[in-house]
Amino acid sequence: MLSYRHSFHAGNFADVLKHSVTIQILQYLTLKPKPIYYLDTHSGAGAFRLFDKEAQKNREYENGIGRLWPLLSELDNCPGLVKAYLETVQSFNPQAELQTYPGSPWFAQHLLRAQDRLDFFDLHPNESQILRQNFAGDKRIHVYPKDGFQACLSQLPPKEKRGYVLMDPPYEVKTDYAKAVETLIQAHKKFANGTYALWYPVVERYRVREMEKAFIDSGLRNIQLFELGIAKDGDKGMTASGMIVIQPPWKLMETLKEGLPFLSERLGAAQGHYRAEQLVAE
């Protein structure tokens, strides 16, 4: 179908969760000097101007990074999860005004080191072309206009033997829910040392329950689930989003349990809600 463009949604509350979790994972993995491999299966363009017509159409960033941006003046009062997120986004906006928002590829480029390797995939022809332009010149990075689900299997296991795989499908096709779970289960069989994160939207709750059950029944160990919501289930549109993390860093749960209540109140007010659960034990 290839109609999804993340530029319409950049910086929304779902991005806040996805990128906050990704920052924590990458910061943990880079504590050790050994190189790591980063695989982004559905990369998008990698960076977005918030004053472009796409971002301005629904102004979704106003209910995400826009509500958090004023906290830069009081970072010491923010949970570590939020502080790390805002400081990283700020480095993408050296001017005082929030003008641009980084996608997952930029977060990875910014946080990873000279010895690390990054592969970005996106099947959308326009997105992959912009992605290639945005990261031209960085020899650590390769951009592929190919299917990210297939890449998740074809690129594993990596030579680095350590790594993070981020899967963020558009879910334009409803079979993507089951396909994402099955792909990650198969990927783990090829690369058991990796950390994996799957982002998902909460539009129809039963689809999320089906994904949870599939992971629980998969035989994989140490799976955590995190959700951030701004409206109750059943309301129109995406009311929440989540991240399912396989083999998470050892302090990720502690960090999210501290930060998610803050985010749910700041972004969702009275209707804000969150989950931080050990879906499958270690």
Side-chain angles (χ1 to χ4, degrees), residues 113-214:
R113 308 151 303 176
Q115 66 266 38
D116 300 323
R117 184 167 61 96
L118 304 83
D119 281 349
F120 302 155
F121 285 79
D122 201 287
L123 194 56
H124 194 293
N126 290 339
E127 296 288 88
S128 60
Q129 182 179 0
I130 298 170
L131 183 68
R132 190 182 302 276
Q133 294 169 353
N134 283 338
F135 296 95
D138 192 327
K139 295 182 179 180
R140 302 172 302 163
I141 295 173
H142 290 89
V143 176
Y144 301 93
K146 297 181 179 180
D147 179 74
F149 290 121
Q150 294 178 7
C152 195
L153 300 177
S154 66
Q155 303 302 308
L156 301 179
K159 61 184 180 181
E160 291 82 0
K161 299 181 180 179
R162 302 175 64 234
Y164 174 44
V165 176
L166 173 61
M167 182 173 287
D168 175 20
Y171 297 98
E172 287 182 291
V173 182
K174 299 307 180 185
T175 53
D176 279 0
Y177 290 88
K179 188 174 185 179
V181 175
E182 181 57 32
T183 301
L184 288 179
I185 292 171
Q186 295 303 316
H188 186 269
K189 292 178 180 178
K190 299 187 68 174
F191 179 39
N193 292 332
T195 294
Y196 300 84
L198 172 63
W199 177 88
Y200 63 85
V202 180
V203 179
E204 299 169 301
R205 174 60 68 179
Y206 78 91
R207 296 188 186 278
V208 178
R209 294 196 186 102
E210 289 176 349
M211 288 202 312
E212 291 180 36
K213 185 178 186 303

Side-chain angles (χ1 to χ4, degrees), residues 181-182 184-186 188-189 192 211-223 246-247 279-282:
V181 175
E182 181 57 32
L184 288 179
I185 292 171
Q186 295 303 316
H188 186 269
K189 292 178 180 178
M211 288 202 312
E212 291 180 36
K213 185 178 186 303
F215 275 119
I216 291 170
D217 295 341
S218 68
L220 299 184
R221 309 299 300 171
N222 196 13
I223 304 177
I246 304 167
Q247 295 190 169
L279 196 63
V280 180
E282 296 185 43

Side-chain angles (χ1 to χ4, degrees), residues 9-282:
H9 315 287
N12 66 5
F13 77 94
D15 269 359
V16 172
L17 176 66
K18 176 174 60 180
H19 295 143
S20 295
V21 171
T22 288
I23 288 168
Q24 294 300 315
I25 292 172
L26 291 177
Q27 286 183 337
Y28 174 80
L29 289 175
T30 53
L31 290 175
K32 294 182 179 180
K34 292 183 179 180
I36 70 170
Y37 173 64
Y38 174 83
L39 172 60
D40 197 323
T41 66
H42 298 77
S43 296
F48 310 94
R49 288 186 287 266
L50 296 179
F51 294 103
D52 283 354
K53 62 180 182 179
E54 291 89 351
Q56 287 293 311
K57 182 176 181 180
N58 296 315
R59 303 174 69 92
E60 291 187 22
Y61 65 89
E62 291 183 347
N63 205 24
I65 183 60
R67 289 198 179 184
L68 299 178
W69 193 250
L71 296 174
L72 283 170
S73 62
E74 48 182 301
L75 282 178
D76 289 342
N77 297 323
C78 295
L81 179 78
V82 179
K83 182 178 181 181
Y85 168 72
L86 284 174
E87 287 177 335
T88 311
V89 177
Q90 185 183 31
S91 66
F92 199 66
N93 290 271
Q95 68 289 336
E97 184 181 14
L98 176 64
Q99 297 182 0
T100 54
Y101 188 80
S104 302
W106 182 86
F107 281 98
Q109 182 196 41
H110 178 72
L111 294 168
L112 294 180
R113 308 151 303 176
Q115 66 266 38
D116 300 323
R117 184 167 61 96
L118 304 83
D119 281 349
F120 302 155
F121 285 79
D122 201 287
L123 194 56
H124 194 293
N126 290 339
E127 296 288 88
S128 60
Q129 182 179 0
I130 298 170
L131 183 68
R132 190 182 302 276
Q133 294 169 353
N134 283 338
F135 296 95
D138 192 327
K139 295 182 179 180
R140 302 172 302 163
I141 295 173
H142 290 89
V143 176
Y144 301 93
K146 297 181 179 180
D147 179 74
F149 290 121
Q150 294 178 7
C152 195
L153 300 177
S154 66
Q155 303 302 308
L156 301 179
K159 61 184 180 181
E160 291 82 0
K161 299 181 180 179
R162 302 175 64 234
Y164 174 44
V165 176
L166 173 61
M167 182 173 287
D168 175 20
Y171 297 98
E172 287 182 291
V173 182
K174 299 307 180 185
T175 53
D176 279 0
Y177 290 88
K179 188 174 185 179
V181 175
E182 181 57 32
T183 301
L184 288 179
I185 292 171
Q186 295 303 316
H188 186 269
K189 292 178 180 178
K190 299 187 68 174
F191 179 39
N193 292 332
T195 294
Y196 300 84
L198 172 63
W199 177 88
Y200 63 85
V202 180
V203 179
E204 299 169 301
R205 174 60 68 179
Y206 78 91
R207 296 188 186 278
V208 178
R209 294 196 186 102
E210 289 176 349
M211 288 202 312
E212 291 180 36
K213 185 178 186 303
F215 275 119
I216 291 170
D217 295 341
S218 68
L220 299 184
R221 309 299 300 171
N222 196 13
I223 304 177
Q224 294 177 354
L225 180 148
F226 307 103
E227 264 187 28
L228 175 63
I230 60 171
K232 65 180 185 297
D233 284 4
D235 282 359
K236 184 178 179 180
M238 181 175 63
T239 58
S241 77
M243 292 281 274
I244 294 175
V245 184
I246 304 167
Q247 295 190 169
W250 70 285
K251 280 196 171 183
L252 186 64
M253 179 63 74
E254 177 183 329
T255 303
L256 268 290
K257 281 187 173 180
E258 178 196 23
L260 283 176
F262 181 94
L263 287 174
S264 66
E265 181 178 355
R266 184 82 184 189
L267 302 182
Q271 293 197 80
H273 55 92
Y274 68 93
R275 297 171 66 191
E277 303 172 9
Q278 187 77 34
L279 196 63
V280 180
E282 296 185 43

